[in-house]
Amino acid sequence: MIVISRRGLLAAGSAAALAVPAAPGLVRAQTATGTVRIVVPFPPGGSADALARLAQPLLERGLGQTVIIENRPGAGGSVGANAVAKAAPDGLTWLFVFDTHAVNPSLLPSMPFDSQKDLDPVMLIGTAPMVVATHPQQPFRSLADIIQSGKDRAGGVPYGTIGNGSLGHLAMTLLAKRAGTNFAHIPYRGGGPLINDAIGGHVPIAIGSVALLATHLQAGTLRPLAQTGAQRATALANVPTVAESGFPGFEADAWWGVFAPAGTPAPVVQRFHAALTAAFRDPAAEKQLTETQQVKLMTTGPAEFRAFFESQMRIWGEVVRDNQIKPS
């Protein structure tokens, strides 16, 4: 059973970290001048990339600095994360990640950095359910259909995710075990390539965050079969959850967060956190995230995000080890 509870994890922490704003002069003294670089450790077109590009112009306005997005994909996001872990803690380099970041320490034991020691949490941007979807020309009309097909089909039903060891991969692995069926995993190098093959009908099933798939679900180029949240997302009110489809307690939400190189001064983190909060709470941006992409905005502080991140590492690390999941 997948149970991911945030109550309690998100109930305390950020007020103390953010209650006393640093003096403007101190923040300027501790923040290097120049271009701000946001590293997205995945290819363009994925959900983390979309969030970074949504925030970019609003951050430029709030910070008064040029902000660029740098896509550095590879090894499930660890290549780009390593670049940030090795960067100077001067407030000019930041990392936008999603849920795979909590899986990588268990999946990739030889990573050249320590996720907890070499990167400082800044913000949990938000969470969203994942969606199991198919091309409209595929015969599947429900989760039960693909489960039965997996039992009947030699080798199982192929399904695509954003990568090996991704949350979608882990969720489908557990679903297959609970359902007594077979799924054949096809890992892609990020959300963009997965979407291209899904809407092209080259992979029968895709699982990704509702934020990643929303546009294509609304356009009818993909058909939703089930969602993985505890409750139905507003925009997918007619799509049952996996729990409603015969698997009580099944829950797995995607999430997005921001990290900084370890040792980035607290006033610098506070300044960037404030600019991020203003960006994501901008009325137009918030509407796009919450209504179009069905993201539950959190914009939590560093202490809350650290507690949440460490819990995700424990939960999904156990799934990786129990199922002997290896990197591709």
Side-chain angles (χ1 to χ4, degrees), residues 127-147:
T127 65
M130 293 186 295
V131 179
V132 180
T134 187
H135 190 276
Q137 292 183 355
Q138 291 288 336
F140 310 115
R141 294 293 186 274
S142 68
L143 187 63
D145 287 345
I146 64 170
I147 289 172

Side-chain angles (χ1 to χ4, degrees), residues 50 75 91 176 180 184 211 246 250 285 307:
F250 192 108

Side-chain angles (χ1 to χ4, degrees), residues 92-304:
L92 292 182
T93 305
W94 307 87
L95 177 69
F96 272 47
V97 299
F98 53 41
D99 39 75
T100 57
H101 190 67
V103 177
N104 284 341
S106 298
L107 185 70
L108 307 169
S110 61
M111 286 195 309
F113 69 98
D114 188 304
S115 297
Q116 292 172 285
K117 295 179 180 179
D118 297 331
L119 292 166
D120 286 345
V122 176
M123 172 187 284
L124 173 61
I125 299 171
T127 65
M130 293 186 295
V131 179
V132 180
T134 187
H135 190 276
Q137 292 183 355
Q138 291 288 336
F140 310 115
R141 294 293 186 274
S142 68
L143 187 63
D145 287 345
I146 64 170
I147 289 172
Q148 186 60 50
S149 182
K151 294 177 180 179
D152 298 339
R153 181 172 177 171
V157 178
Y159 73 97
T161 73
I162 61 162
N164 208 60
S166 64
L167 186 64
H169 180 198
L170 301 184
M172 292 294 279
T173 298
L174 288 180
L175 178 60
K177 291 185 73 172
R178 287 191 62 179
T181 191
N182 297 297
F183 298 137
H185 183 221
I186 301 175
Y188 286 82
R189 299 175 70 87
L194 170 62
I195 286 294
N196 289 338
D197 267 14
I199 63 177
H202 304 303
V203 60
I205 300 295
I207 180 171
S209 71
V210 66
L212 175 64
L213 302 181
T215 300
H216 307 284
L217 298 174
Q218 291 163 0
T221 51
L222 289 176
R223 178 194 299 133
L225 302 176
Q227 52 185 307
T228 65
Q231 292 90 31
R232 298 186 185 193
T234 304
L236 298 172
N238 295 325
V239 180
T241 65
V242 174
E244 291 173 320
S245 302
F247 303 93
F250 192 108
E251 181 184 355
D253 282 340
W255 59 265
W256 298 265
V258 181
F259 287 83
T264 301
V268 176
V269 171
Q270 290 169 14
R271 175 177 182 256
F272 193 69
H273 185 283
L276 278 172
T277 300
F280 289 123
R281 295 296 180 180
D282 173 84
E286 184 170 359
K287 181 177 181 179
Q288 179 175 335
L289 289 173
T290 60
E291 295 184 12
T292 303
Q293 296 178 283
Q294 294 295 293
V295 173
K296 181 179 180 181
L297 277 179
M298 302 292 194
T299 60
T300 65
E304 291 171 292

